């Protein structure tokens, strides 16, 4: 007879349920402890830098969703939040022109806008968004990305806040997907399959 799952744990012990869809996931590059540490560091730095300002976070859906949720809780000063959803340029063209699927709800005029991204690879997406947002007259405009691939950069975009540098391999988890899978992994991992480039 097979023992029920977690039968070896004392009653009431918190159970670590692995998210579904972990097959195909390779080695972990940024584990949960590192995520928590980097988010806390970024939140503290942003809280200091934006003290007394009108901090307005703009998350880039969907990849930044988990990071935005964690980062907001690590920020100790008042902050508002909005989201923009874009169609990746890979699905439209390779020119770096990004189509906006869902625009911001609120005006950013006069606000201290911090764009929050899950990962910056070539930088084309952020570069486009920054140019677009600049025309809307924010008081200031900066970028916070959880992950950055340094060597893949093609667009000249300044990353004001970076969580972790990752190698130029395709990574998934902590909001990042491959064909909509793996976003719910609570860590960042490479794929077990041969690397697919972004
Ligand atoms: P960029 O325009 O090349 O900087 O790419 C940014 C977008 O590509 C991100 O918002 C992600 O959606 C996607 N992307 C780039 N690299 C990866 C990766 O390694 N894993 C998952 N998504 C990625
Ligand atoms: Mg994606």
């Amino acid at each position: 007879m097979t023992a029920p799952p977690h039968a070896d744990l004392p009653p009431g012990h918190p159970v670590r349920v692995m998210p579904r869809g972990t097959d195909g996931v390779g080695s972990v590059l940024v584990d949960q402890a590192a995520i928590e540490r980097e988010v806390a560091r970024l939140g503290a730095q942003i809280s200091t830098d934006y003290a007394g300002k009108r901090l307005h976070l703009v998350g880039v859906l969907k990849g930044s969703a988990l990071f935005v949720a964690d980062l907001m809780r690590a920020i100790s000063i008042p902050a508002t939040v909005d989201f923009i959803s874009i169609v990746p340029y890979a699905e439209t063209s390779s020119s770096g022109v990004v189509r906006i699927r869902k625009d911001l709800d609120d005006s950013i005029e006069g606000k201290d806008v911090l764009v929050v991204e899950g990962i910056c690879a070539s930088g084309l997406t952020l570069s486009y968004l920054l140019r677009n947002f600049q025309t809307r007259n924010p008081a200031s405009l900066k970028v916070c990305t959880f992950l950055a691939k340094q060597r893949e950069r093609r667009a000249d975009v300044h990353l004001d806040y970076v969580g972790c540098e990752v190698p130029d391999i395709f990574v998934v988890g902590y909001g990042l997907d491959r064909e909509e899978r793996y976003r719910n992994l609570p860590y960042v991992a490479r794929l077990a399959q041969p690397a697919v480039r972004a």
Side-chain angles (χ1 to χ4, degrees):
M1 200 180 92
T2 320
H6 319 301
D8 53 335
L9 296 175
H13 189 282
V15 171
R16 170 87 168 75
V17 180
M18 284 304 287
R20 282 164 295 173
T22 47
D23 56 302
V25 175
S27 50
V28 173
L29 297 179
V30 189
D31 66 16
Q32 276 180 280
I35 290 175
E36 282 170 24
R37 196 175 56 237
E38 295 309 316
V39 168
R41 178 181 62 79
L42 291 170
Q45 186 65 55
I46 290 165
S47 303
T48 301
D49 295 352
Y50 284 84
K53 295 190 171 173
R54 296 178 68 191
L55 174 58
H56 187 63
L57 305 171
V58 169
V60 185
L61 293 173
K62 301 175 198 171
S64 75
L66 276 64
F67 179 41
V68 170
D70 287 345
L71 185 65
M72 283 179 74
R73 282 176 284 190
I75 290 174
S76 56
I77 59 168
T80 50
V81 66
D82 202 352
F83 292 93
I84 191 165
S85 173
I86 53 172
V87 180
Y89 59 84
E91 289 173 24
T92 49
S93 74
S94 57
S95 62
V97 174
V98 175
R99 188 162 67 77
I100 295 176
R101 190 181 348 233
K102 176 220 152 313
D103 206 344
L104 299 173
D105 289 341
D106 307 313
S107 165
I108 57 171
E109 191 168 347
K111 296 178 184 170
D112 291 296
V113 174
L114 183 60
V115 180
V116 183
E117 193 30 311
I119 187 166
C120 177
S122 70
L124 291 171
T125 305
L126 274 173
S127 161
Y128 172 84
L129 279 178
L130 292 174
R131 272 183 280 126
N132 180 299
F133 289 161
Q134 200 66 68
T135 66
R136 308 186 195 195
N137 301 319
S140 67
L141 185 58
K142 288 190 174 183
V143 174
C144 176
T145 184
F146 185 64
L147 301 178
K149 293 185 192 175
Q150 212 47 272
R151 277 168 301 151
E152 227 176 67
R153 198 70 35 79
R154 281 198 281 149
D156 183 23
V157 46
H158 179 70
L159 304 176
D160 300 279
Y161 302 94
V162 176
C164 310
E165 305 275 350
V166 285
D168 288 346
I169 53 174
F170 200 83
V171 297
V172 293
Y174 197 52
L176 302 177
D177 73 309
R178 184 184 169 199
E179 295 170 357
E180 295 305 323
R181 288 187 70 197
Y182 308 116
R183 290 195 197 273
N184 60 328
L185 297 178
Y187 47 78
V188 177
R190 64 183 304 168
L191 291 171
Q193 303 301 320
V196 177
R197 294 189 75 82

